[in-house]
Amino acid sequence: MTADSEMEIKEAFNRAQKGHNNKAKLVAVLKNRYNTLEDKTLFHEKFIHYLKYAMIVYKREPAVENVIEFVAKFASSFQSSSKNDKEGEQQQEEEEEDEEEEDDHPFLTFIFNFLLESHKANSHAVRFRVCQLINKLLGSMSENAQIDDDLFDNLHQAMLIRVTDKFPNVRIQAALAMTRLQQPQDPDCPTVSAYMLILDNDSNAEVRRAVLSCIAMSPITLVKVLKRTRDVKESVRKLAYQVLADKVHVKALSIAQRVTLLEEGLHDTSEAVREAVKTRLLPSWLKHLDGDVVLLLPRLDVENCSETALEVLKAIFTNMPEEEMLKDRVQLGTSKLIPGDALSCENVIYWRALCEFVRAKGDEGEEMLEKILPDAATYADYLQGFLRTVPVLSEAQRAEFTSLETAMRKEFISQQLIHLVGCLDTNEEGGRKRVLAVLQELLCRPQTPASLVSLLTEKLLSLIPDDNRRIQMVAEIISDVREPIAEAGPPLDEAQERRKQIKLAEVKVRILEARQALDDCIAAQEFSNAAQFKDSITELENQRNLVLQEAAEGSQPIDRESDPDTLLRCLTMCAELLKQMNIKTRIGPTLSAIVSSLIVPCIANAHPAVRNMAVVCLGTSALHSKELAKAHMVLLLQIAQLDEVKIRISALRSIIDLLLLFSFQLLSEKPVTQATPASHSPGGQEEEEPTEEKGDLAGDTAQSILQLLSEFLDGEVSDLRTETAQGLAKLMYMDRFSSAKMFSRLVLLWYNPVTEGDTSLRHCLGVFFQLYARESRAHQEVVGESFLPTVRTLMNAPATSPLAEVDPSNVVELLVELTRPGTLIKPSANHEVCVHDSMALRVCGEILKDQTAPEVRLYAKTLNNLEVSANEGTRQELHALLLEVTQVVKDRISLRAVEKVIDRLVDSKEQAEQHTETALQPLDINADEFVAEDPSKSVKKPKRGQKKTPAPKSGRKGSRRAESSEESDGENVPESLPRARPSRRAKTAALERYKLDLNPLIDQEANTS
């Protein structure tokens, strides 16, 4: 190769660094020069020589990125030209020859071999650039490009190694490079397996995002992508929804997967994720269904997930024009009503969602609402007519799937129609009275399904603003339901009774004839006809049973006073009334009569559903009367221990609500004393007698209730345990009682592996710990007092206990973080004393108790994480205890940790003295200018042998910005001091000064050679 060729290569690399240069022209010129050479070996060597300058730079400099882009285009241009030649030929043989030429192109093969040799370099910059180049080379090839099998295997193996690299940016480029090496049809594809492993285990969010962007969809990988929609990082969750929208058809997901995706996505804590669901996922699904929203609803199972369907529809309406919303999707007639025979679960919930969405607009949507909803009186008659068509199934009909499905579908439609009552314009007196009359009539009607009673009562009470009128109305309805007015009708119709007897006799005769025919067919061995006669006999017997049942029901009237269905209906109305009432409304004579005549007697009813609703009503009514709460608290406590699980949970909720409202004073004559800080021994040891625990409760009754709740925490019923933990968290947060032991129990319950599957419990306690500790200094003292009991319980847990699997250091870290003074919402006025002071003294006392205990190392590590206040007395006491600890502790790791704490105390004391001396010196006016000119000179360097003073820890751990996606090489850039904003010209000059240019390096190498 001549010197001119070398100069052309060098000039091409120099010009490629500039972003404004046309790289395609550079590629063409250099390629023409390459084709004219007979011996291409020297060209290869020089090309690689200049490429190495760019490969040793890790930072994403524009000049280096331009060079890498140029190299990728130049190398792939050989493959592109071969591809164009191949497309121009028609015969199969010539195409195969062109493919061979393409596969064996010397320059492309040489580049790949060089990269494969360099991927194991010690420099992470080289590994990063190797993976980046392989990614760009493979991405630049045509869709039907082919490479040699050996080269494919070598690339595959190299990228599988680099995808486990220590540096995240290398892993990202390696994952992107393997995009075209994956084989999604092969269940054993190593690339797909590596991708799924990264999605599950990689700690860097950007690596997971890179894999999400390039992984191919298959039934195996779909599960992993769905799991990433619950990733801890917002950016990963957002990309997962975008990938599902772009790569997965709506029919490829099951109903459960669709509902879960929408429910979690629309309730995500991140606004960006919610927008991705609304603007990417839902439009993509609608595009697959030709934009028809009603066709999407059957794929979401609206009957069982109506709330999710409503949220989805309202999200779609947000980005839909008004003309599209008014499109006749719900088949509204001229009366603005859907005909009864055209009502379906899908169009009725679409109608409801549209009306609620338009009504939420306020005055802007009034005109549009009038186009899709009739007046109140017309709609009330329409509702009454449809609810009368809902069938009441007998026991025999409930056994038939078709009848049961029809009844359930009509009940669901009825629920949605009742919800639409809230969208009606009831300002007109006549329309409102008609709606009230219809709702009252439907509640009194025995044929109204029990599942609709609560909703009907809610809509009825929403139309009556006054509580006294509400109570009177519900009392009248309950009276009519329990004691209906007996109509003086004619005596028993003999002709009708005779017709029933004739029908019964006719059925019996037909049964006898069918049995005779069955015997004849069996005798003649006509088994097919015999099977038909057997089926007809079964149907006739069912008809006979129905006739007998109707006759029995007609002869035995229902006792409304003790009928379980009637009682449940009345209790449901009463519970809805108590829920809608203002909490300040007292129990009047009418409600007192309902409580004594209906609610209390139903507590002992034999049917569990009646008992449960009675417990709910009793607990809710007690919230309106302190005397009623006192009278029935013992009864609720007994129910919480003895009845079925569902009823026990209802009683427990009522008890917690009463204690939250009235506190523990409800159970004792003496008021509850205020919480006082617990006393401690000089060695920091905690006095553990329950009578001296913080927030002592007045009376044995309060102690017995807490003991009962503690037993529920140890129970095997997960629902009861979760409800108890939530109740205790509420009581402690509202300062109804204060107990370090109970807080320790909740912490251990949160870490206990037994509760790993109880997401509700874990979420509740996780939120409670943060809120409780941040609320006040007294709460932090409770957390500090629970430190030692919690650690002792964990360290002394037997091997068979689930607590033996818990990492004590993790628990200690949580308690230390919760008690940091910087986490308080309202910091204490006394800044010199903090909870960490008492914790440090207690930990030192615990170490001095037993220096050989296994938890000594944990305690020593804890001392390093505590933020001791500037109180001189506390520091002196702690320093003396630490010196005593160093004399008795033999473990080297523990001793080193304690010595580090001592050094920190000494250094902080010296700093305080220096600060005092500086404060007494006269103020220098030029000091600020001197510091501004050279900030580095103002920093005092430590003397030889003197330890550096560690920076005080903040309330929270520093974020790991060094592991971000762009610069994950561990370089932390210190924050600059506040200064004046530079001008645009200064910014441009600074950018030009620090812009990396490879020309000096190349020229220097050329001169030395």
Side-chain angles (χ1 to χ4, degrees):
M1 187 179 71
T2 62
D4 295 338
S5 300
E6 182 178 353
M7 290 300 296
E8 288 184 6
I9 298 175
K10 179 181 177 181
E11 181 64 22
F13 271 87
N14 288 336
R15 295 177 62 186
Q17 299 178 52
K18 311 299 180 183
H20 60 272
N21 282 326
N22 189 348
K23 294 184 177 58
K25 185 176 181 180
L26 292 177
V27 168
V29 171
L30 193 60
K31 185 178 178 182
N32 291 334
R33 184 63 178 175
Y34 177 82
N35 292 331
T36 59
L37 296 175
E38 296 181 359
D39 185 10
K40 298 179 172 55
T41 305
L42 293 177
F43 182 93
H44 293 169
E45 293 178 357
K46 286 299 178 182
F47 192 90
I48 294 301
H49 171 76
Y50 291 115
L51 174 61
K52 288 179 180 180
Y53 288 103
M55 293 183 64
I56 61 175
V57 181
Y58 181 70
K59 195 174 181 180
R60 306 293 290 268
E61 291 286 349
V64 180
E65 295 299 318
N66 291 333
V67 169
I68 296 297
E69 188 71 26
F70 163 72
V71 171
K73 287 185 177 181
F74 179 73
S76 60
S77 65
F78 296 98
Q79 186 269 337
S80 301
S81 62
S82 300
K83 175 70 173 57
N84 294 332
D85 295 341
K86 183 186 69 175
E87 289 178 352
E89 298 177 358
Q90 301 294 329
Q91 297 180 358
Q92 185 68 24
E93 295 180 358
E94 294 181 357
E95 290 180 358
E96 292 178 357
E97 292 177 0
D98 288 337
E99 289 177 2
E100 290 178 1
E101 291 179 3
E102 176 188 345
D103 296 341
D104 299 331
H105 196 282
F107 185 79
L108 201 58
T109 304
F110 175 77
I111 286 289
F112 274 124
N113 290 333
F114 165 73
L115 295 176
L116 289 174
E117 293 172 359
S118 306
H119 85 91
K120 293 184 179 180
N122 293 331
S123 172
H124 61 278
V126 175
R127 300 198 302 271
F128 168 68
R129 295 300 178 183
V130 166
C131 295
Q132 185 185 25
L133 266 173
I134 293 177
N135 174 32
K136 290 184 177 295
L137 286 172
L138 293 177
S140 301
M141 292 183 176
S142 60
E143 293 184 1
N144 56 350
Q146 298 180 2
I147 60 176
D148 184 69
D149 290 343
D150 294 336
L151 179 60
F152 178 90
D153 294 337
N154 293 333
L155 289 173
H156 205 176
Q157 293 299 324
M159 293 301 99
L160 286 175
I161 296 173
R162 292 280 66 82
V163 86
T164 60
D165 197 276
K166 181 175 67 173
F167 286 83
N169 279 343
V170 180
R171 300 201 300 272
I172 290 173
Q173 295 299 326
L176 294 175
M178 290 197 299
T179 303
R180 303 192 64 178
L181 304 180
Q182 58 182 325
Q183 300 173 357
Q185 296 82 8
D186 184 8
D188 300 326
C189 176
T191 301
V192 175
S193 301
Y195 278 168
M196 293 191 295
L197 190 66
I198 292 172
L199 288 177
D200 285 339
N201 301 314
D202 201 291
S203 59
N204 189 277
E206 293 303 318
V207 180
R208 300 196 297 273
R209 291 185 75 251
V211 173
L212 275 177
S213 64
C214 60
I215 191 171
M217 287 296 109
S218 68
I220 300 175
T221 58
L222 178 60
V223 179
K224 301 296 182 181
V225 176
L226 289 173
K227 189 177 179 182
R228 286 306 102 202
T229 58
R230 296 184 291 275
D231 197 277
V232 295
K233 290 292 184 180
E234 167 192 336
S235 57
V236 180
R237 298 197 302 272
K238 178 182 176 181
L239 182 60
Y241 280 106
Q242 293 174 353
V243 169
L244 290 171
D246 298 338
K247 297 183 180 180
V248 181
H249 196 282
V250 62
K251 295 181 180 179
L253 301 169
S254 64
I255 291 179
Q257 289 173 337
R258 297 184 202 122
V259 172
T260 304
L261 276 176
L262 293 174
E263 187 174 355
E264 294 178 350
L266 293 174
H267 291 95
D268 197 278
T269 56
S270 170
E271 179 65 26
V273 177
R274 296 196 297 270
E275 283 300 318
V277 176
K278 294 177 183 178
T279 59
R280 295 289 297 272
L281 186 65
L282 286 175
S284 173
W285 287 2
L286 288 175
K287 185 179 179 181
H288 297 153
L289 302 172
D290 299 330
D292 194 343
V293 182
V294 180
L295 289 179
L296 177 64
L297 296 178
R299 292 165 173 81
L300 300 180
D301 190 15
V302 295
E303 294 184 51
N304 296 319
C305 308
S306 58
E307 293 302 322
T308 303
L310 283 172
E311 293 177 358
V312 169
L313 288 172
K314 291 176 183 178
I316 295 174
F317 293 152
T318 305
N319 301 317
M320 185 181 290
E322 183 176 338
E323 296 78 12
E324 187 71 16
M325 281 192 287
L326 291 176
K327 195 174 180 181
D328 192 18
R329 288 195 174 94
V330 292
Q331 303 174 3
L332 292 175
T334 56
S335 59
K336 306 172 189 175
L337 295 170
I338 303 177
D341 54 350
L343 277 171
S344 65
C345 298
E346 288 76 24
N347 60 19
V348 72
I349 202 168
Y350 183 92
W351 190 21
R352 174 194 167 188
L354 181 59
C355 292
E356 290 180 353
F357 177 78
V358 174
R359 185 171 179 81
K361 292 183 176 181
D363 297 338
E364 299 178 2
E366 285 186 2
E367 183 180 353
M368 185 177 176
L369 189 62
E370 292 177 357
K371 299 178 182 179
I372 57 177
L373 203 61
D375 60 275
T378 304
Y379 186 82
D381 295 335
Y382 172 76
L383 177 64
Q384 185 182 32
F386 183 82
L387 260 66
R388 286 180 176 177
T389 64
V390 179
V392 180
L393 301 181
S394 62
E395 293 298 330
Q397 290 174 330
R398 289 182 182 276
E400 298 179 5
F401 178 76
T402 305
S403 303
L404 183 62
E405 184 182 19
T406 304
M408 292 178 65
R409 182 177 60 82
K410 287 201 169 186
E411 285 186 18
F412 177 80
I413 295 174
S414 302
Q415 289 177 356
Q416 307 312 313
L417 293 177
I418 295 171
H419 277 292
L420 276 172
V421 172
C423 299
L424 296 174
D425 184 10
T426 55
N427 294 325
E428 184 190 357
E429 185 68 19
R432 184 172 67 254
K433 286 184 177 180
R434 181 56 185 161
V435 174
L436 285 173
V438 168
L439 294 177
Q440 188 174 359
E441 188 268 336
L442 290 173
L443 285 172
C444 295
R445 187 170 177 267
Q447 290 79 15
T448 302
S451 59
L452 304 178
V453 172
S454 177
L455 192 56
L456 286 169
T457 308
E458 178 189 347
K459 297 304 176 184
L460 174 69
L461 297 177
S462 64
L463 298 175
I464 306 174
D466 184 51
D467 281 344
N468 293 325
R469 286 189 57 201
R470 289 176 174 178
I471 295 171
Q472 190 65 31
M473 176 73 74
V474 172
E476 292 176 2
I477 296 174
I478 290 176
S479 177
D480 293 341
V481 171
R482 296 191 70 187
E483 300 174 0
I485 300 175
E487 298 180 359
L492 190 61
D493 189 358
E494 296 181 359
Q496 185 177 0
E497 191 70 22
R498 182 169 179 78
R499 282 196 296 271
K500 289 183 180 180
Q501 292 179 0
I502 292 174
K503 183 178 180 180
L504 181 61
E506 181 183 354
V507 172
K508 289 181 178 179
V509 171
R510 291 173 62 185
I511 291 174
L512 292 174
E513 291 176 353
R515 284 178 178 172
Q516 183 63 37
L518 176 63
D519 294 338
D520 295 342
C521 290
I522 293 175
Q525 296 185 354
E526 298 176 357
F527 298 110
S528 60
N529 294 333
Q532 296 178 0
F533 281 115
K534 187 175 180 181
D535 295 338
S536 63
I537 290 173
T538 304
E539 294 178 1
L540 292 172
E541 287 179 346
N542 291 334
Q543 293 181 12
R544 182 189 63 186
N545 294 334
L546 287 176
V547 174
L548 291 174
Q549 185 176 359
E550 291 176 0
E553 291 177 355
S555 60
Q556 296 180 359
I558 299 175
D559 184 10
R560 299 291 181 184
E561 291 290 335
S562 60
D563 178 51
D565 294 335
T566 304
L567 292 175
L568 184 60
R569 186 186 298 265
C570 296
L571 289 170
T572 304
M573 288 187 282
C574 186
E576 193 63 38
L577 169 66
L578 293 168
K579 185 171 69 173
Q580 296 284 342
M581 281 173 51
N582 192 335
I583 191 65
K584 296 180 180 180
T585 303
R586 299 295 93 188
I587 298 291
T590 306
L591 269 181
S592 298
I594 293 176
V595 171
S596 59
S597 63
L598 175 64
I599 298 177
V600 175
C602 289
I603 294 290
N605 195 280
H607 291 78
V610 177
R611 291 203 308 276
N612 183 53
M613 190 57 67
V615 169
V616 172
C617 292
L618 183 62
T620 312
S621 60
L623 294 174
H624 296 268
S625 172
K626 191 172 183 179
E627 291 74 18
L628 194 63
K630 287 182 179 180
H632 297 291
M633 175 61 84
V634 177
L635 177 60
L636 291 173
L637 288 170
Q638 292 175 351
I639 296 173
Q641 300 177 71
L642 303 175
D643 216 318
E644 296 184 2
V645 174
K646 186 177 181 181
I647 304 174
R648 293 173 65 187
I649 291 175
S650 299
L652 181 60
R653 288 174 180 170
S654 301
I655 293 169
I656 297 297
D657 290 341
L658 292 175
L659 293 177
L660 284 172
L661 184 62
F662 300 115
S663 75
F664 286 92
Q665 295 178 1
L666 181 69
L667 307 169
S668 59
E669 296 294 332
K670 299 179 181 180
V672 179
T673 58
Q674 294 294 329
T676 57
S679 59
H680 306 288
S681 62
Q685 298 179 1
E686 181 186 35
E687 296 183 7
E688 298 180 1
E689 287 79 10
T691 57
E692 294 186 6
E693 191 167 304
K694 191 191 246 186
D696 253 352
L697 301 172
D700 296 336
T701 310
Q703 292 286 356
S704 62
I705 290 180
L706 292 180
Q707 182 64 30
L708 174 65
L709 297 179
S710 300
E711 293 175 0
F712 289 163
L713 291 179
D714 297 330
E716 297 180 357
V717 183
S718 61
D719 294 338
L720 189 62
R721 181 175 59 221
T722 301
E723 198 65 39
T724 304
Q726 292 179 355
L728 288 170
K730 293 176 183 178
L731 290 172
M732 292 187 67
Y733 182 74
M734 298 301 294
D735 290 329
R736 293 300 179 260
F737 80 100
S738 182
S739 172
K741 288 184 179 180
M742 191 61 72
F743 189 87
S744 175
R745 291 287 303 277
L746 294 178
V747 171
L748 294 174
L749 185 66
W750 193 49
Y751 278 99
N752 198 323
V754 175
T755 63
E756 185 176 0
D758 196 344
T759 55
S760 178
L761 173 66
R762 291 283 181 101
H763 178 72
C764 170
L765 291 180
V767 174
F768 162 70
F769 293 148
Q770 297 290 337
L771 295 178
Y772 181 76
R774 294 173 56 195
E775 184 66 23
S776 67
R777 165 71 184 279
H779 290 181
Q780 283 195 341
E781 290 180 356
V782 174
V783 179
E785 291 177 15
S786 68
F787 176 79
L788 287 179
T790 306
V791 175
R792 289 196 200 104
T793 305
L794 291 174
M795 299 304 295
N796 298 330
T800 57
S801 173
L803 293 176
E805 303 175 14
V806 180
D807 184 10
S809 60
N810 195 351
V811 182
V812 167
E813 184 179 354
L814 170 69
L815 297 177
V816 170
E817 290 297 323
L818 291 178
T819 51
R820 291 194 186 278
T823 60
L824 285 173
I825 298 177
K826 297 179 180 179
S828 176
N830 186 7
H831 296 285
E832 294 186 356
V833 181
C834 66
V835 179
H836 280 192
D837 295 349
S838 58
M839 289 179 62
L841 297 175
R842 290 179 198 162
V843 169
C844 290
E846 197 69 18
I847 295 175
L848 293 173
K849 275 185 180 179
D850 186 1
Q851 304 82 14
T852 60
E855 58 265 26
V856 169
R857 185 175 294 183
L858 177 64
Y859 289 148
K861 181 182 176 182
T862 305
L863 289 172
N864 260 315
N865 295 329
L866 295 176
E867 295 180 17
V868 182
S869 66
N871 185 278
E872 188 62 29
T874 304
R875 286 180 173 270
Q876 290 179 1
E877 185 178 359
L878 180 60
H879 187 267
L881 287 173
L882 290 173
L883 291 177
E884 188 177 349
V885 168
T886 56
Q887 296 175 3
V888 296
V889 173
K890 304 300 181 184
D891 182 63
R892 287 187 176 182
I893 298 178
S894 304
L895 194 59
R896 193 180 304 119
V898 174
E899 290 175 351
K900 192 180 297 184
V901 178
I902 296 175
D903 293 339
R904 192 172 64 188
L905 287 175
V906 173
D907 292 344
S908 60
K909 183 178 180 181
E910 292 178 356
Q911 279 188 350
E913 293 175 354
Q914 293 176 3
H915 179 72
T916 305
E917 294 175 359
T918 307
L920 295 175
Q921 292 178 358
L923 182 63
D924 188 0
I925 300 175
N926 300 322
D928 294 339
E929 297 179 1
F930 176 75
V931 173
E933 290 176 2
D934 192 358
S936 61
K937 295 181 180 180
S938 62
V939 179
K940 182 178 180 180
K941 296 183 179 180
K943 298 179 181 179
R944 185 182 299 272
Q946 181 181 354
K947 294 180 180 289
K948 294 183 180 180
T949 304
K953 295 184 179 179
S954 61
R956 296 183 180 271
K957 291 187 176 180
S959 59
R960 298 182 179 178
R961 297 185 180 179
E963 295 183 2
S964 62
S965 61
E966 290 296 325
E967 291 301 325
S968 302
D969 54 353
E971 297 180 0
N972 293 326
V973 181
E975 297 182 359
S976 60
L977 296 174
R979 55 184 179 181
R981 183 177 179 181
S983 63
R984 185 178 298 275
R985 183 177 298 176
K987 289 182 181 179
T988 307
L991 288 175
E992 291 295 333
R993 185 190 308 169
Y994 291 107
K995 187 181 294 182
L996 181 63
D997 191 357
L998 298 180
N999 292 336
L1001 293 175
I1002 297 176
D1003 294 338
Q1004 181 179 0
E1005 180 67 20
N1007 294 333
T1008 55
S1009 60

